[in-house]
């Protein structure tokens, strides 16, 4: 009896496994079993729905039934507004396992190509976060195999993939900086599919190169990667020139960023002349060899130019370019330029009829402009320039805020967003220069600037919070202000992916629309800047100031103890200071002579008592003094 029961159980299990093999279409590694819809019904569907589905499948084979159910499931997933790319890909695979490529329309293949992978913004953020954490992906694009499979199926249907299909693939590869794959896709669409590339096609390839150079790179791979990026960039430029394709402003911006990363000084200067009409050797003069079709000089191009000159280490040209391109001379000033190359005739109006007015391309600096400028100036060790531009940034921060408040008073809902705000990144470079040179005067002044900025940020937060509570509701617009959906993420203007390649190459007649002031966003930025400044001031500035003060006192104290002279500002001379006077002058305390553990400091060889060490110092404390004569 037991043997018969076991046989029945075994036969039943075999039938179940065979049924699972019949209807299971997922990959072997998957733990999910996909059943046809005519076998697994919805728990809320009644008998009438089941009977209707059975009548629609009457006279069809089981394979045709499953194929129809898989197709309906795929179309249902594609029709959803909020769809899951994993679910789309799973349904697509389930259908393709029961059908041929010809059984699916070309439009469905194209829809799957656009929806079987995450969005470019999501993929770009995820990849950048992993690479910054040191978790470099093993493959450049995690879903590259899906894109290849769909494109292969499109070609298997007998139809040719369109240029928009290849643009979708290039968008995905550019989001992760996979420039090698982008170049392979470009070669395939030009040589295999015989498609004619557009400016957007080359722009996506430039975008992939520029974005990869902005991501973390291993030191052993950096030299080879920069060489490849420079070679591929020049190859793309030559191909565009061979096709007589103009270099749009967006592609020009991407090329400038690539040349900045590879430090191609000659190519950078040449593109500045041809693209923007700016000669970096003489920025206030028109270039001798210019172009008739110039791109508008934007703030992003200004930041790229400043970063390039700063990396080259030419501080004089960096300051000159910043001053000329942010505060240009009026067009009438070109009449005073001498065209005769005579040292005696370098003043006055030489020949107004032969001198055409020239308006130097210029742009308005923002927070990033001053941060880049101060970073490179401080690294070069120019304390005077660093102090000047930090003071200028502090005054600009107040003038921008006063202008914003006056505009909000007149038009609370149509005020443009501010372009500058003092933050931690503006102050830290100057403090680093003062700390490296042990410039106590500059270090204390930076502390005063930080305290003033913190106080003003607190006042601004209080004022704008009160304004938000009393602000009237915005009027209902007659048409939507923007075509962007509310769920789409805002663009990031700090990387190589902030350009819109769909914009036509011709220059628009009207200026681009400015961003409107958002009081909630402004308050979030103010609070973030305030938290960063307070944390840095309490955790780093006070500790570094006390440590530097201690070391300066120790260095001067050793000279006093050795009987050497020191410079005193009140006497404006180098004098010899007695030990007792020096002790009172710097507020030293008498050290302990016993070794009973009452003093936790370490007695140094020159008689000084070392106090706290490094970052463990909570506050500025006076250095203790130990008199070696008391030991005798």
């Amino acid at each position: 009896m037991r043997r018969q029961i076991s046989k029945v159980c075994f036969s039943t299990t075999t039938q179940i496994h065979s049924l699972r093999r019949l209807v299971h279409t997922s990959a072997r590694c998957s733990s999910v079993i996909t059943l046809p819809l005519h076998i697994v019904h919805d728990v809320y569907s009644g008998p009438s729905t089941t009977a209707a589905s059975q009548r629609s499948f009457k006279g069809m084979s089981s394979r045709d039934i499953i194929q129809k159910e898989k197709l309906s499931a795929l179309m249902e997933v594609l029709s959803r507004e909020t769809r899951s790319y994993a679910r789309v890909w799973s349904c697509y695979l389930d259908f393709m396992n029961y059908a041929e490529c010809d059984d699916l329309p070309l439009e469905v293949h194209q829809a799957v190509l656009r929806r079987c992978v995450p969005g470019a913004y999501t993929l770009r953020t995820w990849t950048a976060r992993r690479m910054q954490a040191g978790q470099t992906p093993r493959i450049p694009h995690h879903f590259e195999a899906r894109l290849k499979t769909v494109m292969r199926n499109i070609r298997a249907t007998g139809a040719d993939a369109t240029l928009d299909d290849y643009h979708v693939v290039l968008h995905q590869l550019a989001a992760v900086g996979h420039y090698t794959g982008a170049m392979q896709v470009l070669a395939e669409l030009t040589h295999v599919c015989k498609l004619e590339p557009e400016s957007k096609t080359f722009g996506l390839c430039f975008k992939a190169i520029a974005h990869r150079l902005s991501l973390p790179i291993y030191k052993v791979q950096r030299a080879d990667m920069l060489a490849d990026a420079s070679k591929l960039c020049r190859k793309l430029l030559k191909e565009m020139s061979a096709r007589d394709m103009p270099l749009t402003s967006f592609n020009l911006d991407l090329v400038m960023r690539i040349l900045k990363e590879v430090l191609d000084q000659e190519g950078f200067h040449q593109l500045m002349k041809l693209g923007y009409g700016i000669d970096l050797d003489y920025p206030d003069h028109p270039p001798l060899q210019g172009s008739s079709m110039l791109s508008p000089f934007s703030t992003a191009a200004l930041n790229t130019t400043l970063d390039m000159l700063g990396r080259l280490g030419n501080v004089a040209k960096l300051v000159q370019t910043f001053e000329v391109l942010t505060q240009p001379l009026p067009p009438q000033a070109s009449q005073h330029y001498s065209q005769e190359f005579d040292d005696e005739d370098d003043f006055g109006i030489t020949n107004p009829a032969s001198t055409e007015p020239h308006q130097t391309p210029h742009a308005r600096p923002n927070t990033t402009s001053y941060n880049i400028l101060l970073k490179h100036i401080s690294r070069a060790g120019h304390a005077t320039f660093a102090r000047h531009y930090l003071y200028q940034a502090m005054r600009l921060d107040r003038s921008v805020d006063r202008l914003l408040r006056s505009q909000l008073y007149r038009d609370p809902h149509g005020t443009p967003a501010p372009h500058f705000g003092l933050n931690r990144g503006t102050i830290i470079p100057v403090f680093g220069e003062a700390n490296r040179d042990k410039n106590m005067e500059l270090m204390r002044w930076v502390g005063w600037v930080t305290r003033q900025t913190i106080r003003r940020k607190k006042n601004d937060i209080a004022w704008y919070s009160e304004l938000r509570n009393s602000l009237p509701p915005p009027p209902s617009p007659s048409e939507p202000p923007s075509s962007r959906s509310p769920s789409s993420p805002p663009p990031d203007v700090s990387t190589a992916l902030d350009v819109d390649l769909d914009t036509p190459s011709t220059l628009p007649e009207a200026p681009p629309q400015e961003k409107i002031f958002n009081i909630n966003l402004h308050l979030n930025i103010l609070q973030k800047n305030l938290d960063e400044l307070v944390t840095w001031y309490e955790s780093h500035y006070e500790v570094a100031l006390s440590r530097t003060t201690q070391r300066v006192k120790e260095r001067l104290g050793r000279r006093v103890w050795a009987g050497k002279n020191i410079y005193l500002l009140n006497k404006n001379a180098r004098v010899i200071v007695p030990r007792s006077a020096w002790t009172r002058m710097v507020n030293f305390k008498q050290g302990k002579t016993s070794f009973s553990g009452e003093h936790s400091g370490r007695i140094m060889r020159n008689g000084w008592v070392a106090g706290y060490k490094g970052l463990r110092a909570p506050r500025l404390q006076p250095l203790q003094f130990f008199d070696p004569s008391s030991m005798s």
Side-chain angles (χ1 to χ4, degrees), residues 26 39 145 193 372 391 541:
S26 301
I39 297 177
C193 299
I372 293 175
Y391 181 71
Y541 172 78

Side-chain angles (χ1 to χ4, degrees), residues 187-209:
E188 178 181 330
L189 69 93
T190 53
H191 297 91
V192 179
C193 299
K194 304 301 180 180
L195 295 175
E196 191 68 23
E198 301 175 352
S199 297
K200 179 180 179 180
T201 311
F202 290 99
L204 290 171
C205 297
F206 286 130
K207 182 186 290 188
I209 300 174

